[in-house]
Amino acid sequence: MKTKKQSLAVLLSAGIVATSISLPTSSYAATSNNVLSTEKYNEAIKSPEFISGQLTTPSSTKTEDVVFRYVDENKDKYKLGTKSAKESFTVKKQEDDTLGAKVIRLQQTYNGVPVWGSTQVAHVDNKGVLTVFSGTVIPDLDQKLQQPNQKISANEAVSLAEKELGFKPNYTVEPTSELVVYAKDDTVSYAYHVHLGFLSPQPGSHDYFVEAETGKILDHIEVLHAAKNPRNITGTVTTGTGKDSFGNTRSLNLLKSNNTYYLVDKTRGQGIYTYDAQNKGSEDDTSVLPGVLFNNSTNSFISKNAQAAVDAHTYAGKVYDYYKTVHGRDSYDGNGTKIVSTVHFGQQYENAFWDPELKQMVYGDGDGSTRSFTAAIDAVGHELTHAVTDSSSNLIYQNESGALNEAMSDVFGTLVEYYNNSNPDYLIGEDLFFQSGQALRSMSDPTKYGDPDHYSKRYTGTNQSQLVHTNSGIINKAAYLIAEGGTHYGVTVNGIGKDKMGKIFYRANTQYLTESATFSQARQAFVQSAADLYGTQSAEVTSVNKAFDAVGVK
């Protein structure tokens, strides 16, 4: 059973294999164009996790060819054996960086099979020079893997995962089963990545890794997923008002259709849609999401039942505005995609989550000791930042990458709260509680709610929910020190302000972090982001380095 704190704190994303790491040192030297010369190794895997500098000579060839040529010239470093770069990686996505570079995200493969969680990101500048290669490559696969001996079929893998789960769910989406190369610790094997997603008897989403030869369950990650897309609606754009959870009057953007007013805001991107699950979500009803589009006969949403919907609708708009105004990001994916929220999910459901399959927010009403999970703008910002992360770095919800995922959501939930400028602070979720002095977490003092503020105090157990929420405190403390400054464990950090800290963290999340990023790799990503934005010799770079020194991440 989860503790109250764990249950309240399960603010989710989607989920690799991350290894525990020893913390190596790295060297820094300034190069031209604000690129630091850095080479950082993941000592546990014995493979580079972040390399930057003038890594290649200028070239007019295709961007991906620049990257592949670099990898081929450094095959010994990445321990790819006889495989070429084009045989070892596929291009997942290519996009333009706002500072002028081309950014390519890669997926490591072996004999055409994806290596689960092993993704990389490369930056090539406008002269065709590779400047950054970020992300650990799983080495020596030619020595560790034979041809796949698939004694277990994909369907049998699903059955084995269901057996491990302990029951056959009433699925909202059909289970999936994909052959992958799965690496954890010193073991590498072919496995089926099985995903089970359902809403009853309670919302659940599980990723199982079933060894293809033996049927052994190699690993299990618990995430959340769901199942159907909300409908579109046409009408006249209008406005109205509503009362939030604290009785405050809020201005609302609405859509009027057939003399009914809907909580649909067409002024932002492709729209903000707010739905009502009507406290459904039971074993008898597995198709409740997204629910009924919240509506009223007038443009005044003042009933008690409407409070959670007014919160969700208002705060989703504030989060949209923050990312658009401050970072130039149009909705969570950068493409203006509609933002969908469902309130009143389940009976006394004391949680909230981002559902990456349905691509929407889901909020419970709390258990009586808490308000609806829409009541805190930092909680709403937290959840929608999971969507930003899913659409960019896709930090896997396990181990250090999962703790980074949580910390990113805490950081930007807090920055959204300051952007909204309504009694902002560095506490997370304090407005959810009726009793004053309570919160989910604290960025300024993680130990106040039982989280570590230094890498030496990190949680090292096997409970993944506890690991990702607890160890996020280390990164949260670093972010706080970067913004506000202070002396921590004998290290003094000069603060650079919340705005600059946010720009550095946003750039790292969208440009440098990879799915299985460790804290060590993340430090390099934050430092390089600061150098990109403010220069290699800047006070901002110094502050980031000092903050991570202060929390013990090398």
Side-chain angles (χ1 to χ4, degrees), residues 167-459:
F167 61 93
K168 186 177 178 64
N170 197 357
Y171 290 112
T172 54
V173 289
E174 286 300 311
T176 59
S177 184
E178 177 194 17
L179 186 67
V180 299
V181 173
Y182 189 75
K184 186 173 185 179
D185 301 326
D186 294 326
T187 302
V188 180
S189 58
Y190 287 99
Y192 289 102
H193 171 206
V194 176
H195 173 68
L196 310 178
F198 48 89
L199 285 176
S200 65
Q202 61 184 1
S205 179
H206 300 262
D207 287 332
Y208 286 95
F209 297 88
V210 183
E211 193 169 45
E213 182 173 0
T214 66
K216 177 183 177 182
I217 304 294
L218 299 175
D219 206 353
H220 169 218
I221 302 173
E222 186 174 355
V223 289
L224 277 182
H225 296 284
K228 76 180 180 186
N229 290 318
R231 66 185 178 91
N232 290 313
I233 185 171
T234 59
T236 304
V237 173
T238 187
T239 59
T241 58
K243 294 282 189 180
D244 68 13
S245 291
F246 293 91
N248 301 311
T249 299
R250 300 287 188 177
S251 297
L252 300 173
N253 287 309
L254 306 170
L255 197 69
K256 183 180 180 182
S257 179
N258 296 325
N259 295 318
T260 300
Y261 294 85
Y262 294 90
L263 285 184
V264 174
D265 177 359
K266 287 286 194 177
T267 70
R268 294 172 168 99
Q270 295 172 22
I272 294 175
Y273 291 69
T274 304
Y275 288 78
D276 184 3
Q278 299 175 321
N279 295 118
K280 297 176 183 177
S282 67
E283 188 172 2
D284 297 326
D285 189 352
T286 62
S287 59
V288 299
L289 294 177
V292 177
L293 198 57
F294 214 99
N295 64 84
N296 198 35
S297 59
T298 74
N299 68 345
S300 181
F301 290 74
I302 60 174
S303 69
K304 183 175 178 59
N305 186 61
Q307 290 177 351
V310 170
D311 287 336
H313 200 64
T314 301
Y315 290 156
K318 295 292 185 182
V319 175
Y320 176 94
D321 291 346
Y322 168 79
Y323 275 106
K324 188 70 163 64
T325 302
V326 177
H327 303 293
R329 190 179 189 89
D330 188 0
S331 190
Y332 60 83
D333 64 350
N335 296 317
T337 295
K338 67 175 63 174
I339 295 175
V340 177
S341 305
T342 296
V343 300
H344 299 315
F345 180 81
Q347 297 284 336
Q348 292 192 317
Y349 186 65
E350 52 172 348
N351 214 332
F353 58 89
W354 164 255
D355 187 314
E357 282 184 348
L358 185 57
K359 298 191 182 303
Q360 73 153 98
M361 285 303 313
V362 182
Y363 299 97
D365 288 335
D367 65 351
S369 66
T370 58
R371 297 180 175 89
S372 165
F373 271 68
T374 60
I377 190 172
D378 54 359
V380 176
H382 176 114
E383 294 304 336
L384 283 170
T385 297
H386 279 312
V388 174
T389 297
D390 282 355
S391 302
S392 51
S393 61
N394 196 29
L395 290 161
I396 290 174
Y397 208 67
Q398 186 184 55
N399 299 328
E400 291 192 359
S401 58
L404 281 165
N405 194 321
E406 276 296 308
M408 282 293 176
S409 284
D410 280 353
V411 165
F412 287 99
T414 295
L415 291 174
V416 168
E417 183 173 279
Y418 273 94
Y419 177 83
N420 193 50
N421 197 28
S422 177
N423 299 316
D425 53 36
Y426 281 95
L427 296 173
I428 308 299
E430 70 280 4
D431 289 334
L432 299 177
F433 295 89
F434 288 108
Q435 183 176 335
S436 63
Q438 288 190 278
L440 299 176
R441 290 178 291 281
S442 168
M443 292 182 63
S444 59
D445 181 13
T447 63
K448 184 175 182 179
Y449 297 98
D451 298 329
D453 61 359
H454 194 271
Y455 195 76
S456 64
K457 296 184 176 182
R458 68 194 184 279
Y459 172 74

Side-chain angles (χ1 to χ4, degrees), residues 460-472:
T460 57
T462 59
N463 183 317
Q464 286 296 333
S465 178
Q466 186 174 348
L467 192 153
V468 301
H469 291 101
T470 298
N471 288 348
S472 62

